[in-house]
Amino acid sequence: MAERTVAVTADLTPAELEQLLLERPDYEVQLESLNQWQLAWRRFRRHRLALAGAALFLALVAIAIIGPFFVHYDYYEIPHPDELVYAGRPPSWISGDWDPPLLMGETARLQRDILGLVVNGARLSLVIGVGATIISVVIGAVWGGVAGYFGGWLDSVMMRIVDSLLTLPILFLILVAGKFLGRGDWPSVMLIFGLFGWLGLSRLVRSLFLSLREEDFVDAARAVGVSDGRIILRHILPNTLSPIIVAATLSVAGVIIGEAFVSFLGFGVDITQPTWGNVLTSSLDFLQQGNWWWAFFPGFAIVLTVLGINFMGDGLRDALDPRARI
Amino acid sequence: MLKFIVRRLIMLAPILLGLSLVMAFFLHLLPGTPCANILGERATAAQLQKCEHNLGYDRPPIVQWADYVVNAVQLDFGTSFSGARLPVLDAFLQRFPATIELTLAAMLFAVGVGIPLGIAAAKRRQSLLDGAATVVSLIGISIPIFFLGLILVYVFGVWLHWLPAGGRFDLREFDFKGAGTNFLLWESLVIDRDPAKFLDVVGHLILPGITLGTIPLAFVMRITRSAVIEVLNEDYVRTARAKGLSARRIDSRHVLRNALLPVVTVIGLQSGLLLGGAVLTETVYSWGGVGTWLFTAAVDKDYAVIQSGTLLLASVFVLVNLAVDVSYAFLNPRIRYA
């Protein structure tokens, strides 16, 4: 009959469908089927805070990638060799002094432009956050997956190890390890966070595997002779992806805060390579003199990033939950 | 019940044994020994070797561990070689009260604000208040706590001068030499009976307490909210409403008591974490608790403190969790430990 058709998806409510039919009487309605990821994207799109968080995060990633081309930073360059000033300069829009123009002010002592530090620090902070998360997700998924799939004494031993390690003050161990092993270069900081960050994730993956291995499709796979490794990787793991993605997203935020924490105390990446954390290192000493901008802008960058990631994670949690409607 | 507690306490032994083994190997894997720090940079290789031999660092790690365990069982946790060279246990007991007071302040803030806010958000779901509470809790989790500390110090300490910016009491006005328990709240109020002194100590606790309490606040708020929402949908709440009980009575007797269980779990877990030392908050507010103690030990490679300090804190963590488990039975009579 009608030549024009409109595709309708399953997530439309009956009321919305009725409205649509009233508005377009000459259209033929066709049900469009979406896969799991398309549905999740639809749900995510409707989550306004999550979208805002994702936009914020992507904007910061963009700044991290292209920002350093525009804002120059070199640790070995002394910004004002002819001036001897101890305290830092406030942002130009507060002091009214536009020579040189300082959007975020200057640090005390070495007189570094804070804008340059924040923009250049974005790179390492994000790389460490994402890199460490990838390492800990891989370790956590393998450890939790093996424990949950095989069960029995192997599971008990593996999980008791995780339990004992969880009672240790992990961030303190990271401090110690950073002090002894780290030469202050970013790969070792990233590695340390990755190697200590998988404990919670392995518990999550294990609990998912425990319930999934009882499912019929696993029995079916086993019945036709699929190997254990293949069942774990191809049959069970894809079903655990949603919670792992959510946990990984939140872990990126956790590592960024953790890196800032370790660097703030002077144990992280050394100051020749700026990160948001090590920029803050000496800011505390100058706060008493009123140099608030030194602590504020790098700290605010961390807050924005972590806030964006957490909003995004919240939205992902809702979007990837297969029981959720809309 | 008693049986359950005893069994859990016995379980502590293998956990601590395992942990000390992990720590022993962890320290062994790290390059260098404390001798480099004790002797300084100019020590010769021969001197280093001699020092390592005297202190036993040249033995296999498993032997060092066994030796450590034998001493630890007799409550000898080694001696710190930096600072005042105190036995580790003494140093711990001296530092720990400061951490306890800070944790109390933080949890008081978290519980005092988090539970009412969570209940209010749950009762008016999807309202402006609910949305605001969710956003505030997400922001609370997203702010690095040293950054929050820096802001609070600047605004209330440096700029407005409302509250002290650091320390545990005003060194110029008061001193604490009497009892030496290092529980300053208790000492100022009960032993010295000096209200001004007590208020000074409380004033010094406010900013660090808020700083440290923000993350627990966010967790307590969210858990309270979801627990109350869940209980509000229960049949017995509908029944209570149907038989005409007052809203207040339903809230206090039916809803809150049942919603409290997961909240107590979170409070316990968070307290355990905070007791483990809040390095950042302590650094920002120059607070002499276990956090800065362990931190300095890490800087100085003070093996005895690193090894025994983490072990003592892990025991505290396990004990707090045990206390939480025991409190379940009081909150919910359906739970019994055989």
Side-chain angles (χ1 to χ4, degrees):
Chain A
M1 257 186 16
E3 284 164 21
R4 289 171 296 181
T5 58
V6 56
V8 170
T9 47
D11 60 325
L12 218 61
T13 63
E16 283 172 327
L17 185 64
E18 203 171 321
Q19 181 69 33
L20 194 81
L21 290 174
L22 281 175
E23 280 172 7
R24 308 254 175 94
D26 55 331
Y27 277 66
E28 187 181 329
V29 172
Q30 211 175 48
L31 204 62
E32 178 193 1
S33 67
L34 296 173
N35 71 26
Q36 186 196 348
W37 301 109
Q38 287 167 318
L39 279 172
W41 168 237
R42 261 166 199 266
R43 285 194 290 259
F44 186 77
R45 232 170 32 188
R46 297 196 178 188
H47 204 305
R48 252 177 287 157
L49 264 184
L51 265 192
L56 190 61
F57 180 66
L58 288 180
L60 282 158
V61 170
I63 288 176
I65 294 171
I66 55 175
F69 292 116
F70 295 99
V71 184
H72 172 73
Y73 176 80
D74 180 5
Y75 176 75
Y76 296 100
E77 184 183 291
I78 300 167
H80 316 295
D82 50 336
E83 287 178 47
L84 272 175
V85 196
Y86 188 62
R89 262 184 277 226
S92 298
W93 43 273
I94 287 177
S95 64
D97 175 15
W98 290 90
D99 180 40
L102 296 166
L103 183 63
M104 299 181 181
E106 254 178 5
T107 70
R109 260 191 222 145
L110 288 172
Q111 310 267 305
R112 305 207 180 279
D113 180 13
I114 292 174
L115 177 70
L117 289 170
V118 171
V119 168
N120 286 275
R123 261 190 195 178
L124 273 190
S125 292
L126 290 172
V127 165
I128 291 174
V130 174
T133 296
I134 292 174
I135 296 173
S136 54
V137 163
V138 170
I139 301 178
V142 170
W143 191 276
V146 168
Y149 181 76
F150 291 105
W153 64 268
L154 188 68
D155 176 40
S156 301
V157 171
M158 288 173 90
M159 281 303 117
R160 285 303 83 71
I161 291 174
V162 170
D163 287 348
S164 324
L165 289 176
L166 272 175
T167 61
L168 282 174
I170 294 294
L171 268 174
F172 172 68
L173 285 193
I174 291 177
L175 281 183
V176 179
K179 168 79 180 168
F180 287 89
L181 296 177
R183 295 169 303 281
D185 52 349
W186 64 268
S188 53
V189 173
M190 186 177 84
L191 201 67
I192 287 168
F193 272 98
L195 291 180
F196 282 103
W198 56 273
L199 298 169
L201 208 115
S202 75
R203 276 184 152 183
L204 172 75
V205 175
R206 169 188 173 259
S207 67
L208 295 169
F209 266 72
L210 273 184
S211 63
L212 283 172
R213 67 166 186 187
E214 308 294 339
E215 295 283 338
D216 290 340
F217 66 84
V218 176
D219 284 340
R222 219 174 274 140
V224 294
V226 181
S227 69
D228 283 336
R230 203 177 155 81
I231 291 181
I232 291 179
L233 284 179
R234 300 300 296 271
H235 294 254
I236 303 186
L237 199 63
N239 286 295
T240 64
L241 273 185
S242 315
I244 291 181
I245 289 173
V246 174
T249 312
L250 299 178
S251 147
V252 173
V255 175
I256 289 177
I257 286 193
E259 184 277 323
F261 160 97
V262 172
S263 296
F264 172 68
L265 294 173
F267 280 65
V269 180
D270 78 74
I271 51 168
T272 56
Q273 305 160 297
T275 69
W276 287 333
N278 67 19
V279 169
L280 286 165
T281 306
S282 322
S283 62
L284 182 60
D285 306 339
F286 290 88
L287 208 59
Q288 303 279 350
Q289 304 176 4
N291 276 359
W292 57 269
W293 50 88
W294 186 355
F296 181 76
F297 291 106
F300 196 61
I302 300 175
V303 175
L304 275 187
T305 315
V306 174
L307 202 62
I309 295 174
N310 280 341
F311 279 149
M312 204 162 72
D314 233 34
L316 279 178
R317 197 198 314 270
D318 293 344
L320 292 173
D321 183 357
R323 283 166 304 176
R325 276 171 291 128
I326 303 175
Chain B
M1 182 57 132
L2 198 66
K3 233 179 181 174
F4 168 76
I5 296 176
V6 170
R7 210 174 53 205
R8 284 282 294 265
L9 284 178
I10 293 172
M11 274 288 287
L12 191 58
I15 291 180
L16 291 182
L17 270 182
L19 275 185
S20 60
L21 189 64
V22 170
M23 283 307 289
F25 274 92
F26 180 68
L27 290 176
H28 181 75
L29 280 176
L30 301 172
T33 61
C35 282
N37 272 47
I38 297 173
L39 297 174
E41 283 172 9
R42 292 193 201 167
T44 62
Q47 282 173 319
L48 271 177
Q49 213 167 20
K50 198 176 163 208
C51 164
E52 277 166 18
H53 181 75
N54 288 340
L55 294 176
Y57 290 124
D58 54 348
R59 296 171 299 169
I62 195 87
V63 177
Q64 289 188 41
W65 171 69
D67 191 40
Y68 174 81
V69 170
V70 169
N71 286 329
V73 167
Q74 304 164 40
L75 289 184
D76 173 11
F77 290 101
T79 303
S80 164
F81 59 71
S82 58
R85 291 172 195 268
L86 282 174
V88 174
L89 191 60
D90 293 0
F92 177 79
L93 291 178
Q94 196 188 17
R95 293 290 195 127
F96 200 48
T99 298
I100 292 179
E101 281 188 353
L102 184 58
T103 303
L104 274 180
M107 290 316 290
L108 207 66
F109 171 68
V111 171
V113 180
I115 291 186
L117 205 61
I119 295 172
K123 295 187 103 180
R124 277 174 242 159
R125 272 179 83 181
Q126 315 289 344
S127 69
L128 202 65
L129 178 83
D130 186 21
T134 308
V135 171
V136 166
S137 81
L138 272 174
I139 292 177
I141 297 177
S142 304
I143 292 190
I145 87 178
F146 58 89
F147 182 56
L148 180 65
L150 291 176
I151 293 178
L152 290 179
V153 166
Y154 183 75
V155 173
F156 294 103
V158 179
W159 189 28
L160 296 172
H161 285 290
W162 285 0
L163 289 164
R168 293 184 69 196
F169 61 93
D170 194 337
L171 289 160
R172 286 162 303 186
E173 303 239 349
F174 308 103
D175 61 46
F176 283 88
K177 282 173 184 159
T181 59
N182 217 3
F183 280 108
L184 299 190
L185 286 174
W186 186 71
E187 274 188 34
S188 60
L189 194 67
V190 180
I191 298 182
D192 297 342
R193 301 209 180 140
D194 185 347
K197 205 169 174 181
F198 179 70
L199 283 180
D200 182 59
V201 174
V202 171
H204 279 84
L205 269 168
I206 293 176
L207 287 186
I210 292 177
T211 308
L212 192 59
T214 310
I215 292 175
L217 166 72
F219 282 119
V220 168
M221 205 285 292
R222 292 185 100 175
I223 297 287
T224 309
R225 178 179 175 274
S226 62
V228 170
I229 286 175
E230 206 164 294
V231 174
L232 280 176
N233 290 329
E234 292 282 349
D235 288 340
Y236 55 76
V237 174
R238 197 178 308 135
T239 309
R241 259 192 215 126
K243 71 181 181 185
L245 286 186
S246 71
R248 215 161 148 195
R249 204 177 158 80
I250 296 176
D251 282 351
S252 62
R253 289 293 181 84
H254 295 79
V255 178
L256 279 190
R257 271 207 76 159
N258 284 296
L260 222 52
L261 199 66
V263 180
V264 169
T265 315
V266 173
I267 293 173
L269 266 177
Q270 291 292 323
S271 309
L273 284 176
L274 297 194
L275 284 175
V279 187
L280 293 169
T281 311
E282 288 179 12
T283 307
V284 172
Y285 294 97
S286 21
W287 197 268
V290 288
T292 37
W293 178 55
L294 278 181
F295 172 60
T296 342
V299 178
D300 297 342
K301 294 192 188 179
D302 200 337
Y303 271 29
V305 176
I306 295 176
Q307 192 164 26
S308 304
T310 45
L311 219 57
L312 287 166
L313 287 178
S315 328
V316 171
F317 185 72
V318 174
L319 289 177
V320 169
N321 279 325
L322 175 61
V324 171
D325 283 353
V326 170
S327 73
Y328 287 166
F330 288 102
L331 283 172
N332 188 346
R334 281 170 295 186
I335 295 176
R336 291 196 202 292
Y337 299 112

